Amino acid sequence: MDDRIRRHAEILVDYCTEVGAEDDVLIAAPTPAEDLVVALYERLGQRGARPMVEWRLGRASRAYAREVDPDDFRTQEHRLAAMRNTDVAILVKGTRNTAEGSDVDPEKNAAGSRAKQPILEERLDTRWVITQHPTPADAQRAEMSTEAWIDFVYGAIVRDWRAQHDFQRQLVEVLDPADAVRIVSGDDTDIRLSVSGMDVINDAGRRNMPGGEVATVPVIDSVTGDVRFDLPVYRGGRELRDVRLVFEDGEVVDHDASQNEGVLTSLLETDRGARRVGELGIGMNRGVDRVTGNVLFDEKMGDTVHLALGNALEECVPAGRDHNESAIHADLLVDLSRDSRIEVDGEVIQRDGVFRFEEGFEA
């Protein structure tokens, strides 16, 4: 076994979730990630914890979704019961075929998301982390050789996360007292929102591995303007390109996409909250140095920003504040590497991907 797989498992168990001997641990993983699951069981055995694995089978999920009626999607009570009795959830991504679900009706994907919502809510009450195991299929999507993809994945994961936390804290200190944020990129993106009174999280690998972003939540009705998401993202095995959204009073009032616009429309129609923004995230992981088509990595790049349609990051919402609720949380990304800026309360804090506390920043 590659030593980096064991190091990955150590980071997930010791740093991300801090597993102890009394913890019941649920690992949800695809079969190509078997080596990482073995390494996790090894590490959890050393901790004295109690693991259980839930294998995620893309072909089986596709077969079910193609046959079931949308009205027959309902919450799986046995999965819900398992999550209610879980202390730590480790969710592993990785696939044999990145387009496995591409011929599933988007309406069924939306119905499936609604049915999973109670399970998601229970999972958010655990100590959880989402991560990636490198596979040849994901390498192909990234247009990289398998070996290069493996090196890329571990280059983004096996890092000094406490130093990363300190680096990102500089942006947290900017956003924490902030009111207004404006994002401008080229001629297609000029969007404004308020983060007044919202909390800011420093994601240095606790919930996402790799981590590397600072995130907060917009005031629910504050998002206004146009945004062109010029980096590709995948939903249900389909690639969305050049998504354009127009916001008024916090809600999407117009949209289009150059590829798979129907998937975008179905996403927006999942529920009322799907038309609102539940997260503003700013990427800061310099170990992610190229776009791969994998949002877990792409959203962490230091010259990107992402807005997530749907459910708000509840850890950013103080008690008593309104926040968006939805069965989806769909990240969409903007490239800020050129002809772009982020303003906070009228002051430029990032220009062309360079933060004001980094060498080379030009106000």
Side-chain angles (χ1 to χ4, degrees):
M1 183 184 294
D2 189 326
D3 286 342
R4 293 174 295 183
I5 299 176
R6 286 195 171 91
R7 178 63 183 136
H8 188 184
E10 290 173 10
I11 291 170
L12 294 171
V13 171
D14 299 349
Y15 173 74
C16 299
T17 56
E18 298 180 327
V19 175
E22 296 305 313
D23 286 328
D24 291 313
V25 181
L26 174 64
I27 302 167
T31 51
E34 181 180 351
D35 281 350
L36 179 56
V37 174
V38 170
L40 284 167
Y41 264 62
E42 185 176 78
R43 192 66 177 173
L44 292 167
Q46 294 166 3
R47 289 281 183 171
R50 296 175 295 275
M52 179 180 78
V53 65
E54 173 189 303
W55 293 110
R56 294 188 168 177
L57 307 174
R59 289 178 60 205
S61 296
R62 169 190 174 274
Y64 178 82
R66 283 176 58 85
E67 296 301 324
V68 70
D69 188 279
D71 292 337
D72 288 335
F73 276 100
R74 59 187 184 277
T75 301
Q76 296 164 298
E77 295 296 332
H78 49 320
R79 287 187 65 193
L80 181 61
M83 193 62 75
R84 282 175 175 158
N85 288 283
T86 293
D87 300 304
V88 173
I90 299 174
L91 313 178
V92 182
K93 298 176 62 180
T95 183
R96 296 188 190 279
N97 180 356
T98 59
E100 189 66 70
S102 61
D103 53 0
V104 174
D105 186 340
E107 180 186 356
K108 294 186 178 183
N109 288 329
S113 293
R114 290 190 291 269
K116 292 173 185 174
Q117 180 68 7
I119 299 170
L120 170 62
E121 291 173 357
E122 287 293 334
R123 192 255 291 171
L124 293 175
D125 287 335
T126 72
R127 302 197 308 278
W128 60 270
V129 63
I130 298 174
T131 195
Q132 178 82 37
H133 182 73
T135 68
D138 291 310
Q140 188 172 28
R141 171 182 283 176
E143 298 182 351
M144 300 170 71
S145 69
T146 301
E147 183 176 356
W149 172 244
I150 291 170
D151 290 343
F152 174 86
V153 168
Y154 292 125
I157 288 174
V158 182
R159 302 177 64 80
D160 184 340
W161 287 106
R162 288 176 175 82
Q164 183 73 29
H165 180 277
D166 291 343
F167 171 61
Q168 294 175 183
R169 185 172 57 197
Q170 298 172 93
L171 182 57
V172 173
E173 290 170 354
V174 172
L175 286 176
D176 195 46
D179 179 9
V181 177
R182 182 186 182 191
I183 300 163
V184 179
S185 183
D187 298 326
D188 299 322
T189 294
D190 190 346
I191 194 163
R192 300 169 187 263
L193 55 91
S194 172
V195 295
S196 179
M198 295 300 184
D199 294 333
V200 183
I201 60 171
N202 184 343
D203 174 16
R206 295 291 189 180
R207 296 289 178 84
N208 286 187
M209 181 51 65
E213 68 174 287
V214 169
T216 187
V217 170
V219 175
I220 194 164
D221 294 327
S222 69
V223 183
T224 301
D226 296 15
V227 55
R228 172 76 67 181
F229 298 98
D230 50 0
L231 296 178
V233 295
Y234 288 80
R235 295 293 299 184
R238 296 176 176 89
E239 184 180 28
L240 292 173
R241 280 193 173 272
D242 296 317
V243 170
R244 183 185 67 91
L245 301 179
V246 179
F247 288 90
E248 292 181 5
D249 298 325
E251 192 167 11
V252 175
V253 295
D254 193 18
H255 70 277
D256 59 56
S258 66
Q259 185 169 318
N260 283 317
E261 184 175 327
V263 174
L264 175 63
T265 300
S266 180
L267 188 71
L268 291 167
E269 293 175 349
T270 301
D271 50 38
R272 184 180 179 189
R275 289 184 172 269
R276 297 183 179 272
V277 176
E279 176 193 357
L280 164 66
I282 301 173
M284 300 187 70
N285 186 337
R286 296 300 184 191
V288 181
D289 58 2
R290 60 179 291 174
V291 175
T292 65
N294 186 316
V295 71
L296 183 63
F297 293 84
D298 294 349
E299 69 175 3
K300 310 305 191 309
M301 287 181 61
D303 51 2
T304 64
V305 66
H306 57 278
L307 299 177
L309 294 172
N311 208 47
L313 297 176
E314 293 191 19
E315 59 264 49
C316 293
V317 183
R321 291 292 299 270
D322 289 337
H323 64 280
N324 197 41
E325 296 184 52
S326 175
I328 68 162
H329 184 89
D331 294 300
L332 300 169
L333 289 82
V334 181
D335 180 2
L336 296 184
S337 62
R338 62 182 183 274
D339 194 20
S340 302
R341 68 186 186 273
I342 301 175
E343 299 176 9
V344 174
D345 293 333
E347 181 179 355
V348 177
I349 60 101
Q350 187 199 70
R351 187 180 297 280
D352 297 341
V354 182
F355 294 101
R356 74 180 186 189
F357 43 80
E358 291 185 294
E359 184 177 350
F361 173 76
E362 297 182 4

